[in-house]
Amino acid sequence: MQANDARTLLQCAVPTLVAGAVAVAIGFAVAGGKGGIGAAAGILLALANMSLGLYMLQRTARQWPQVFQMMGLALYAVQFLVIAVLLGVLKDTTLFNPRAFAFSVLAGTLVWVAAQLRAHMKMKILYVDPEAAADAKKPAPAESPS
């Protein structure tokens, strides 16, 4: 993992975990222990889903840059489907409060996306190689007359 990849992951995971702590507190206050468990499970699902997606997208960008955009679109569709299927499967569970679970998944996903947007906007990525630009400005060496 490159340094800017780890920085992006950290800048996304920390706000999501903070939102998770708030969601657990709200879930516990509103629905008791099952609400807190549901909120914690929802935040963990959002965190795992989004961090795995970020890892896969960064790996694709390094190995196959020509399919990066297509992979990004496919990845977000798969992430949406995974969350939708899990919400459908776990809607009648008695292990935790499904409403707290669903709202915390939504909150965690929105916080992750906002944090990722902020991280990418603040990231300083060179799109021009400064060394290549400096080499292009140098005059060609003069040939010696023979």
Side-chain angles (χ1 to χ4, degrees):
M1 183 174 270
Q2 295 178 355
N4 59 347
D5 297 344
R7 191 176 313 117
T8 301
L9 182 64
L10 183 66
Q11 289 176 351
C12 295
V14 170
T16 305
L17 288 173
V18 170
V22 171
V24 167
I26 291 172
F28 187 75
V30 171
K34 289 192 176 202
I37 293 171
I43 285 294
L44 289 176
L45 171 64
L47 192 64
N49 193 18
M50 298 305 281
S51 60
L52 183 63
L54 181 65
Y55 171 74
M56 293 301 295
L57 199 58
Q58 289 170 343
R59 185 173 173 154
T60 300
R62 270 193 302 276
Q63 290 182 347
W64 303 291
Q66 66 273 14
V67 297
F68 177 70
Q69 186 176 12
M70 182 179 56
M71 179 65 175
L73 293 172
L75 180 71
Y76 287 123
V78 168
Q79 285 177 325
F80 175 77
L81 288 174
V82 165
I83 289 177
V85 166
L86 284 174
L87 285 174
V89 167
L90 297 173
K91 72 179 178 183
D92 295 325
T93 187
T94 57
L95 179 63
F96 51 76
N97 186 327
R99 187 168 280 179
F101 175 74
F103 280 120
S104 64
V105 168
L106 177 65
T109 301
L110 291 176
V111 168
W112 180 282
V113 170
Q116 189 173 12
L117 177 67
R118 181 182 181 276
H120 284 294
M121 289 182 69
K122 294 184 77 64
M123 193 178 300
K124 307 271 192 265
I125 298 177
L126 298 175
Y127 55 90
V128 175
D129 186 8
E131 293 175 6
D135 289 343
K137 290 183 181 179
K138 289 183 184 176
E143 294 184 24
S144 61
S146 300

